Amino acid sequence: MSEEENSDENSENLDDIYLFSQKDIGVYSFPIFDELRKEQKLCDVFLKVDTKILPAHKVILSATIPYFYAMFTHDMIEAKQNEIEIQEGIDAEAFESLIKYAYTGNVLITPNNVQSLLLGASFLQLHQVRSACCDYLQSRLHVNNVLGVKAFADTLGCVSLGKAAQSFIQKQFSQVSISKEFFNLSFNELVETIFSDELNVKNELNVFEAIMAWVKKDVEARKNFLPDLLAHVRLPLLTP
C-alpha cells in the first residue's frame, strides 16, 4: 500500500471517531456519593471527632480536601486505617459541615459557627471556605466584636481580615473603646490597639480617657501598667 493510500485510510478512520463529553457529570455523580455517605454504603473510613463518628469515602475526601489527599496518598499510617481520630480541638458540628461540603460544595455559615468553620477550614486547607468565612466576618464587623475578630484573625494568619478589623478599630475607636471587649484586652493588646498613628480620635483626651477606663476596670491588677501607658500619651495636648 502506498503512503498516499495509507494516509487516506487513516483520515477516513479519524472521521469515524466521535468524542462524546458530558461536562456536567460531576453534577449528577456527587449527589449520589453524598447519598452513599448518608446511608453509610461503600464507606471505607470513619472519622472520629469528639463523640461524633462520620462515615466517608477516602477517594472523595482525597479529591476535595487537601489535608486528606496528603494523608491518604502518602505513606502515612492513617492511610491504612479505617477509623481516624481527629485530635485538633475542632468543633464536631463544624467538622461535619466541612465533610458535607466535600460532597456537596455547600456549607452554611452562621454567626454561631463561623469561627469554628474558619478554624476547621484552616486545618483542612480548604482555602475557599476559609476565604468565605473571612469575608463573612469582615462584612459583619461591629464595635462589639471587632477586637475579638482581629485577635482571632491574627491567630489564624488571616491577613486581610486582620487588616480590615484594624482599620475598623482605628476609624471607630471612640465606640470600640467603650465596648466590653476593650476592657478585656491584655496590656500588650491594648498597646497595639491604642498607639497607632492611624487612630481616628477627636483629640488626645479620647486616648487618655480610654486608658484610664481600662485601668479602672481592674485597678489592682493594672495600676502598674499606668506609667508605661501614659508615656505614650501626648500629655501637653491635654487641657489642665
Side-chain angles (χ1 to χ4, degrees):
M1 181 180 296
S2 68
E3 291 184 5
E4 183 178 348
E5 291 174 335
N6 186 48
S7 177
D8 290 341
E9 183 175 333
N10 287 339
S11 298
E12 290 175 359
N13 290 338
L14 290 174
D15 289 339
D16 289 336
I17 296 174
Y18 169 67
L19 175 64
F20 170 73
S21 179
Q22 184 177 343
K23 304 293 185 182
D24 60 352
I25 191 168
V27 175
Y28 293 100
S29 57
F30 264 76
I32 296 174
F33 297 151
D34 193 38
E35 286 300 318
L36 292 173
R37 176 189 65 82
K38 291 176 181 177
E39 297 173 7
Q40 298 190 26
K41 293 181 178 179
L42 304 179
C43 294
D44 55 359
V45 67
F46 294 84
L47 306 172
K48 184 178 180 181
V49 188
D50 197 9
T51 58
K52 272 186 173 292
I53 303 294
L54 308 175
H57 307 86
K58 289 182 179 180
V59 66
I60 301 298
L61 298 183
S62 298
T64 53
I65 301 180
Y67 173 84
F68 287 115
Y69 176 84
M71 176 183 288
F72 295 140
T73 61
H74 293 79
D75 191 21
M76 298 178 67
I77 188 172
E78 289 89 351
K80 300 176 182 178
Q81 294 177 341
N82 293 326
E83 182 172 306
I84 299 171
E85 186 171 0
I86 306 297
Q87 298 178 325
E88 296 297 327
I90 300 175
D91 178 76
E93 296 293 334
F95 198 89
E96 183 175 18
S97 295
L98 294 172
I99 296 302
K100 291 179 181 178
Y101 165 81
Y103 284 79
T104 65
N106 299 317
V107 61
L108 187 65
I109 303 174
T110 71
N112 293 328
N113 73 6
V114 60
Q115 292 195 359
S116 296
L117 285 176
L118 180 51
L119 183 63
S122 298
F123 171 70
L124 295 175
Q125 302 167 41
L126 290 170
H127 301 302
Q128 290 180 309
V129 177
R130 174 185 162 101
S131 294
C133 290
C134 287
D135 291 342
Y136 180 93
L137 287 171
Q138 185 171 331
S139 67
R140 289 162 175 78
L141 289 175
H142 187 271
V143 293
N144 293 322
N145 72 11
V146 65
L147 290 168
V149 170
K150 184 181 182 303
F152 188 66
D154 290 344
T155 299
L156 293 181
C158 301
V159 178
S160 60
L161 178 60
K163 287 182 177 179
Q166 180 64 24
S167 177
F168 185 99
I169 293 167
Q170 291 168 347
K171 292 178 181 177
Q172 304 290 336
F173 178 74
S174 295
Q175 293 300 312
V176 173
S177 65
I178 59 175
S179 68
K180 182 179 179 180
E181 285 188 340
F182 181 81
F183 296 115
N184 291 331
L185 291 175
S186 68
F187 169 73
N188 290 331
E189 290 170 336
L190 178 66
V191 170
E192 181 184 354
T193 300
I194 210 167
F195 300 122
S196 168
D197 292 336
E198 306 299 325
L199 199 65
N200 181 23
V201 291
K202 293 181 179 180
N203 53 58
E204 200 70 10
L205 182 61
N206 295 137
V207 177
F208 174 78
E209 288 179 338
I211 289 174
M212 296 307 297
W214 180 85
V215 172
K216 289 177 180 178
K217 192 68 177 178
D218 189 352
V219 175
E220 288 304 312
R222 297 175 175 179
K223 62 184 180 182
N224 291 333
F225 293 124
L226 193 54
D228 290 332
L229 292 171
L230 291 180
H232 291 82
V233 179
R234 293 172 290 185
L235 294 175
L237 298 181
L238 298 178
T239 63

